[in-house]
Amino acid sequence: MVHRHPEVCAACGTRLLVKGRAYTAWDTIDWVSLAPGEAGLKLGVTRTVLHEAECGCGHHTRIGHDQAPPDTLWENVSLGEWRLLGPRLASVVVLLTVRYRLSRTKVKDLLAELFGLNVSTGLIDHTLREAGRAVAPLEAELVAAIERAALVHADETSWREAGQALWLWVFVTAETVLYQIGYRTQEIIANVLSATFPGALMTDGYRVYRSYPNRLRCWAHLMRKLVGLSESTHRRVAAIGQQLHAAFSGLQEAIYRARASAVPPGTLASEYATAIETFRHTLERHRDDPHEKLRAVVREFLLDWEVILRPLSDPSLPLTNNEAERALRHYVIARRISHGTRSEVGSRAYALLASVIETCRRRGAVALDCLGSIIAAARKGLPLPALPPIPAFS
């Protein structure tokens, strides 16, 4: 049990020497630290008792509970220490919901089965939103880390918010992950990467990425399109597709061989200049082809020709956007289970919590500990601890 007493009179500022009397209290259930030799998850209950005292001036002063001031961006999401679920148990709820894709009902049932703790789905939902508000100030730290990166992988997938068609975006570096939920527009990228972003940006062919000159294209996406042409039921298109696929595959194999033999940058482009020119000439011949799919693929190659062939000048550059696709895969499964989020606040909380969790995992930190310390500080209105540091070996 924790007792809190007012120290000075709220009216005259005189130091209060009397203990006064209790006027309210609340219980908090949280994950208790284990003793040496113990294993598992143990819960404990802490009762916090608030007192009031009378000053010689006649004023009654009450001690209040710690809480963060209201935030207009988080309407109806209060953030304070008067909570049934303590910071670490709240972090467990976040992980079960966001990372392990359990519904609020299943989290409710799990808490009841494992600990005999009966809570409402409403409490679980508020805990998730509260945790999202708690970590929100760290978004700027995540964005700054991505802006400093030498290489960023970006991708997007469809997302539903209360039936509205939106997109889940991801920006991935070696040590940081940031998710955003919003429309499929240039604005989302501009919120993360400045126009002067100096690093390389690996993406698919979506047009909103084209304002970044230091860009890379995912060869796996392009290869799949050429395979699709080569398997066309249209005999002429299939023949052209096979020709293009063979030429592009030859360049890809050359890059892999160059990596294995540590070929100096620039050598490959000169060595394969004839093959590159032949490949481009084939594309140019079909720029205005009557077959819609063939014409679209050919024009995509020609539009991004310099960007696509950058790895030939520097074989160490990545050829695929697998990092971003892997970062999205988990949440694509979550979307199929939950059908997305149900409000703008819910979407923001979900994206922020996913960002912190996945960044912790990339930096070799325990997400549960990180979230617990952040929520504890935010509930008291204190400065938040920084994200886990980037490991020295990264």
Side-chain angles (χ1 to χ4, degrees), residues 4 45 48 74 80 87 90 99 118 126 149 153 162 197 201 204 228 290 313 326 335:
R4 295 187 185 173
V45 180
T48 303
W74 294 88
R99 179 62 200 176
N118 294 307
H126 184 84
H153 293 258
F197 169 63
L201 178 62
D204 56 20
S313 299
R326 279 196 292 266
R335 178 195 66 202

PDB file of all heavy atoms in Angstrom, residues 4 45 48 74 80 87 90 99 118 126 149 153 162 197 201 204 228 290 313 326 335:
ATOM      1  N   ARG A   4      -0.088   8.764   0.077  1.00  0.00           N
ATOM      2  CA  ARG A   4       0.421  10.042  -0.390  1.00  0.00           C
ATOM      3  C   ARG A   4      -0.276  11.163   0.386  1.00  0.00           C
ATOM      4  O   ARG A   4      -1.502  11.180   0.508  1.00  0.00           O
ATOM      5  CB  ARG A   4       0.171  10.207  -1.889  1.00  0.00           C
ATOM      6  CG  ARG A   4       0.942   9.211  -2.733  1.00  0.00           C
ATOM      7  CD  ARG A   4       0.803   9.532  -4.187  1.00  0.00           C
ATOM      8  NE  ARG A   4       1.437   8.529  -5.015  1.00  0.00           N
ATOM      9  CZ  ARG A   4       1.358   8.493  -6.326  1.00  0.00           C
ATOM     10  NH1 ARG A   4       0.658   9.440  -6.955  1.00  0.00           N
ATOM     11  NH2 ARG A   4       1.954   7.547  -7.018  1.00  0.00           N
ATOM     12  N   VAL A  45      -0.974  -6.548  -6.577  1.00  0.00           N
ATOM     13  CA  VAL A  45      -1.915  -5.426  -6.455  1.00  0.00           C
ATOM     14  C   VAL A  45      -1.323  -4.384  -5.514  1.00  0.00           C
ATOM     15  O   VAL A  45      -0.888  -4.716  -4.402  1.00  0.00           O
ATOM     16  CB  VAL A  45      -3.280  -5.893  -5.927  1.00  0.00           C
ATOM     17  CG1 VAL A  45      -4.231  -4.698  -5.808  1.00  0.00           C
ATOM     18  CG2 VAL A  45      -3.873  -6.969  -6.825  1.00  0.00           C
ATOM     19  N   THR A  48      -3.058   2.575  -3.821  1.00  0.00           N
ATOM     20  CA  THR A  48      -2.549   3.931  -3.612  1.00  0.00           C
ATOM     21  C   THR A  48      -3.627   4.740  -2.905  1.00  0.00           C
ATOM     22  O   THR A  48      -4.754   4.842  -3.401  1.00  0.00           O
ATOM     23  CB  THR A  48      -2.178   4.586  -4.948  1.00  0.00           C
ATOM     24  OG1 THR A  48      -1.226   3.775  -5.631  1.00  0.00           O
ATOM     25  CG2 THR A  48      -1.576   5.968  -4.718  1.00  0.00           C
ATOM     26  N   TRP A  74      -5.622  13.612 -29.051  1.00  0.00           N
ATOM     27  CA  TRP A  74      -6.052  12.332 -28.485  1.00  0.00           C
ATOM     28  C   TRP A  74      -7.340  12.552 -27.696  1.00  0.00           C
ATOM     29  O   TRP A  74      -7.377  12.422 -26.477  1.00  0.00           O
ATOM     30  CB  TRP A  74      -4.954  11.749 -27.597  1.00  0.00           C
ATOM     31  CG  TRP A  74      -3.728  11.379 -28.370  1.00  0.00           C
ATOM     32  CD1 TRP A  74      -2.674  12.185 -28.669  1.00  0.00           C
ATOM     33  CD2 TRP A  74      -3.463  10.123 -28.991  1.00  0.00           C
ATOM     34  NE1 TRP A  74      -1.754  11.510 -29.413  1.00  0.00           N
ATOM     35  CE2 TRP A  74      -2.209  10.237 -29.629  1.00  0.00           C
ATOM     36  CE3 TRP A  74      -4.149   8.908 -29.048  1.00  0.00           C
ATOM     37  CZ2 TRP A  74      -1.637   9.176 -30.337  1.00  0.00           C
ATOM     38  CZ3 TRP A  74      -3.576   7.854 -29.751  1.00  0.00           C
ATOM     39  CH2 TRP A  74      -2.340   7.996 -30.384  1.00  0.00           C
ATOM     40  N   GLY A  80      -3.048   8.921 -17.245  1.00  0.00           N
ATOM     41  CA  GLY A  80      -2.710   9.184 -15.851  1.00  0.00           C
ATOM     42  C   GLY A  80      -2.454   7.887 -15.107  1.00  0.00           C
ATOM     43  O   GLY A  80      -2.666   6.788 -15.629  1.00  0.00           O
ATOM     44  N   PRO A  87       1.713  -0.149 -15.641  1.00  0.00           N
ATOM     45  CA  PRO A  87       2.450   0.056 -16.894  1.00  0.00           C
ATOM     46  C   PRO A  87       2.928  -1.222 -17.558  1.00  0.00           C
ATOM     47  O   PRO A  87       2.816  -1.371 -18.776  1.00  0.00           O
ATOM     48  CB  PRO A  87       3.633   0.941 -16.459  1.00  0.00           C
ATOM     49  CG  PRO A  87       3.161   1.630 -15.232  1.00  0.00           C
ATOM     50  CD  PRO A  87       2.268   0.660 -14.531  1.00  0.00           C
ATOM     51  N   ALA A  90      -0.035  -3.260 -18.790  1.00  0.00           N
ATOM     52  CA  ALA A  90      -0.543  -2.577 -19.982  1.00  0.00           C
ATOM     53  C   ALA A  90       0.320  -2.924 -21.195  1.00  0.00           C
ATOM     54  O   ALA A  90      -0.197  -3.100 -22.312  1.00  0.00           O
ATOM     55  CB  ALA A  90      -0.565  -1.067 -19.758  1.00  0.00           C
ATOM     56  N   ARG A  99       1.402  -7.130 -31.527  1.00  0.00           N
ATOM     57  CA  ARG A  99       2.427  -8.015 -32.075  1.00  0.00           C
ATOM     58  C   ARG A  99       1.912  -9.441 -32.282  1.00  0.00           C
ATOM     59  O   ARG A  99       2.272 -10.109 -33.258  1.00  0.00           O
ATOM     60  CB  ARG A  99       3.650  -8.028 -31.142  1.00  0.00           C
ATOM     61  CG  ARG A  99       4.778  -8.934 -31.597  1.00  0.00           C
ATOM     62  CD  ARG A  99       5.337  -8.512 -32.941  1.00  0.00           C
ATOM     63  NE  ARG A  99       6.052  -9.599 -33.595  1.00  0.00           N
ATOM     64  CZ  ARG A  99       6.585  -9.549 -34.804  1.00  0.00           C
ATOM     65  NH1 ARG A  99       6.478  -8.451 -35.499  1.00  0.00           N
ATOM     66  NH2 ARG A  99       7.197 -10.571 -35.326  1.00  0.00           N
ATOM     67  N   ASN A 118     -10.471 -10.525 -14.365  1.00  0.00           N
ATOM     68  CA  ASN A 118     -11.615 -10.237 -15.221  1.00  0.00           C
ATOM     69  C   ASN A 118     -11.677  -8.746 -15.539  1.00  0.00           C
ATOM     70  O   ASN A 118     -11.892  -7.916 -14.649  1.00  0.00           O
ATOM     71  CB  ASN A 118     -12.909 -10.670 -14.531  1.00  0.00           C
ATOM     72  CG  ASN A 118     -12.982 -12.180 -14.362  1.00  0.00           C
ATOM     73  OD1 ASN A 118     -12.818 -12.925 -15.323  1.00  0.00           O
ATOM     74  ND2 ASN A 118     -13.201 -12.630 -13.143  1.00  0.00           N
ATOM     75  N   HIS A 126      -9.150   0.936 -24.229  1.00  0.00           N
ATOM     76  CA  HIS A 126      -8.610   2.207 -23.727  1.00  0.00           C
ATOM     77  C   HIS A 126      -7.124   2.073 -23.416  1.00  0.00           C
ATOM     78  O   HIS A 126      -6.347   3.012 -23.637  1.00  0.00           O
ATOM     79  CB  HIS A 126      -9.348   2.663 -22.473  1.00  0.00           C
ATOM     80  CG  HIS A 126      -8.893   4.009 -21.993  1.00  0.00           C
ATOM     81  ND1 HIS A 126      -9.393   5.189 -22.498  1.00  0.00           N
ATOM     82  CD2 HIS A 126      -7.940   4.358 -21.085  1.00  0.00           C
ATOM     83  CE1 HIS A 126      -8.775   6.204 -21.916  1.00  0.00           C
ATOM     84  NE2 HIS A 126      -7.895   5.732 -21.052  1.00  0.00           N
ATOM     85  N   ALA A 149      19.391   7.762 -42.026  1.00  0.00           N
ATOM     86  CA  ALA A 149      19.832   6.466 -42.533  1.00  0.00           C
ATOM     87  C   ALA A 149      20.421   6.575 -43.940  1.00  0.00           C
ATOM     88  O   ALA A 149      20.008   7.409 -44.747  1.00  0.00           O
ATOM     89  CB  ALA A 149      18.667   5.484 -42.530  1.00  0.00           C
ATOM     90  N   HIS A 153      14.034   1.450 -46.835  1.00  0.00           N
ATOM     91  CA  HIS A 153      13.093   0.667 -47.631  1.00  0.00           C
ATOM     92  C   HIS A 153      11.684   1.159 -47.314  1.00  0.00           C
ATOM     93  O   HIS A 153      11.325   1.298 -46.135  1.00  0.00           O
ATOM     94  CB  HIS A 153      13.193  -0.818 -47.280  1.00  0.00           C
ATOM     95  CG  HIS A 153      14.483  -1.453 -47.671  1.00  0.00           C
ATOM     96  ND1 HIS A 153      14.617  -2.240 -48.787  1.00  0.00           N
ATOM     97  CD2 HIS A 153      15.711  -1.411 -47.087  1.00  0.00           C
ATOM     98  CE1 HIS A 153      15.865  -2.666 -48.884  1.00  0.00           C
ATOM     99  NE2 HIS A 153      16.549  -2.174 -47.861  1.00  0.00           N
ATOM    100  N   ALA A 162     -12.594   1.826 -40.170  1.00  0.00           N
ATOM    101  CA  ALA A 162     -14.052   1.982 -40.113  1.00  0.00           C
ATOM    102  C   ALA A 162     -14.676   1.860 -41.497  1.00  0.00           C
ATOM    103  O   ALA A 162     -15.585   2.619 -41.860  1.00  0.00           O
ATOM    104  CB  ALA A 162     -14.421   3.320 -39.471  1.00  0.00           C
ATOM    105  N   PHE A 197      16.387  14.527 -48.376  1.00  0.00           N
ATOM    106  CA  PHE A 197      16.860  13.260 -47.804  1.00  0.00           C
ATOM    107  C   PHE A 197      18.071  12.750 -48.590  1.00  0.00           C
ATOM    108  O   PHE A 197      17.985  12.522 -49.802  1.00  0.00           O
ATOM    109  CB  PHE A 197      15.722  12.234 -47.858  1.00  0.00           C
ATOM    110  CG  PHE A 197      16.145  10.829 -47.556  1.00  0.00           C
ATOM    111  CD1 PHE A 197      16.657  10.485 -46.315  1.00  0.00           C
ATOM    112  CD2 PHE A 197      16.021   9.835 -48.519  1.00  0.00           C
ATOM    113  CE1 PHE A 197      17.042   9.185 -46.037  1.00  0.00           C
ATOM    114  CE2 PHE A 197      16.400   8.524 -48.252  1.00  0.00           C
ATOM    115  CZ  PHE A 197      16.918   8.205 -47.005  1.00  0.00           C
ATOM    116  N   LEU A 201      16.662   5.436 -51.346  1.00  0.00           N
ATOM    117  CA  LEU A 201      15.295   5.021 -51.043  1.00  0.00           C
ATOM    118  C   LEU A 201      14.916   3.868 -51.953  1.00  0.00           C
ATOM    119  O   LEU A 201      14.808   4.033 -53.171  1.00  0.00           O
ATOM    120  CB  LEU A 201      14.334   6.196 -51.235  1.00  0.00           C
ATOM    121  CG  LEU A 201      12.845   5.915 -51.012  1.00  0.00           C
ATOM    122  CD1 LEU A 201      12.593   5.485 -49.563  1.00  0.00           C
ATOM    123  CD2 LEU A 201      12.004   7.140 -51.363  1.00  0.00           C
ATOM    124  N   ASP A 204       8.972   0.269 -54.720  1.00  0.00           N
ATOM    125  CA  ASP A 204       8.425  -0.284 -55.942  1.00  0.00           C
ATOM    126  C   ASP A 204       8.240   0.876 -56.928  1.00  0.00           C
ATOM    127  O   ASP A 204       8.836   1.944 -56.754  1.00  0.00           O
ATOM    128  CB  ASP A 204       7.105  -1.016 -55.663  1.00  0.00           C
ATOM    129  CG  ASP A 204       6.064  -0.122 -54.984  1.00  0.00           C
ATOM    130  OD1 ASP A 204       6.184   1.117 -55.071  1.00  0.00           O
ATOM    131  OD2 ASP A 204       5.122  -0.666 -54.371  1.00  0.00           O
ATOM    132  N   GLY A 228       5.243 -12.723 -65.746  1.00  0.00           N
ATOM    133  CA  GLY A 228       3.840 -12.684 -66.145  1.00  0.00           C
ATOM    134  C   GLY A 228       3.684 -12.550 -67.654  1.00  0.00           C
ATOM    135  O   GLY A 228       2.837 -13.220 -68.263  1.00  0.00           O
ATOM    136  N   PRO A 290       0.571  -2.572 -79.204  1.00  0.00           N
ATOM    137  CA  PRO A 290      -0.883  -2.577 -79.012  1.00  0.00           C
ATOM    138  C   PRO A 290      -1.359  -3.388 -77.813  1.00  0.00           C
ATOM    139  O   PRO A 290      -2.468  -3.172 -77.326  1.00  0.00           O
ATOM    140  CB  PRO A 290      -1.404  -3.185 -80.326  1.00  0.00           C
ATOM    141  CG  PRO A 290      -0.250  -3.947 -80.892  1.00  0.00           C
ATOM    142  CD  PRO A 290       0.963  -3.192 -80.483  1.00  0.00           C
ATOM    143  N   SER A 313      26.115  -0.257 -61.706  1.00  0.00           N
ATOM    144  CA  SER A 313      27.259   0.618 -61.418  1.00  0.00           C
ATOM    145  C   SER A 313      27.834   0.359 -60.039  1.00  0.00           C
ATOM    146  O   SER A 313      29.018   0.588 -59.796  1.00  0.00           O
ATOM    147  CB  SER A 313      26.841   2.088 -61.539  1.00  0.00           C
ATOM    148  OG  SER A 313      26.391   2.378 -62.842  1.00  0.00           O
ATOM    149  N   ARG A 326       8.797  -7.663 -45.616  1.00  0.00           N
ATOM    150  CA  ARG A 326       8.758  -8.479 -44.397  1.00  0.00           C
ATOM    151  C   ARG A 326       8.167  -7.690 -43.236  1.00  0.00           C
ATOM    152  O   ARG A 326       7.458  -8.244 -42.396  1.00  0.00           O
ATOM    153  CB  ARG A 326      10.169  -8.970 -44.044  1.00  0.00           C
ATOM    154  CG  ARG A 326      10.620 -10.178 -44.840  1.00  0.00           C
ATOM    155  CD  ARG A 326      11.809 -10.840 -44.199  1.00  0.00           C
ATOM    156  NE  ARG A 326      12.988 -10.004 -44.266  1.00  0.00           N
ATOM    157  CZ  ARG A 326      13.911 -10.079 -45.226  1.00  0.00           C
ATOM    158  NH1 ARG A 326      13.782 -10.968 -46.194  1.00  0.00           N
ATOM    159  NH2 ARG A 326      14.969  -9.287 -45.217  1.00  0.00           N
ATOM    160  N   ARG A 335      -4.374  -7.491 -40.411  1.00  0.00           N
ATOM    161  CA  ARG A 335      -5.486  -6.825 -41.106  1.00  0.00           C
ATOM    162  C   ARG A 335      -6.560  -7.834 -41.516  1.00  0.00           C
ATOM    163  O   ARG A 335      -7.760  -7.570 -41.417  1.00  0.00           O
ATOM    164  CB  ARG A 335      -4.948  -6.108 -42.340  1.00  0.00           C
ATOM    165  CG  ARG A 335      -6.004  -5.411 -43.185  1.00  0.00           C
ATOM    166  CD  ARG A 335      -5.431  -5.066 -44.543  1.00  0.00           C
ATOM    167  NE  ARG A 335      -5.111  -6.261 -45.309  1.00  0.00           N
ATOM    168  CZ  ARG A 335      -4.246  -6.297 -46.311  1.00  0.00           C
ATOM    169  NH1 ARG A 335      -3.585  -5.204 -46.660  1.00  0.00           N
ATOM    170  NH2 ARG A 335      -4.011  -7.417 -46.968  1.00  0.00           N
TER     171      ARG A 335
END
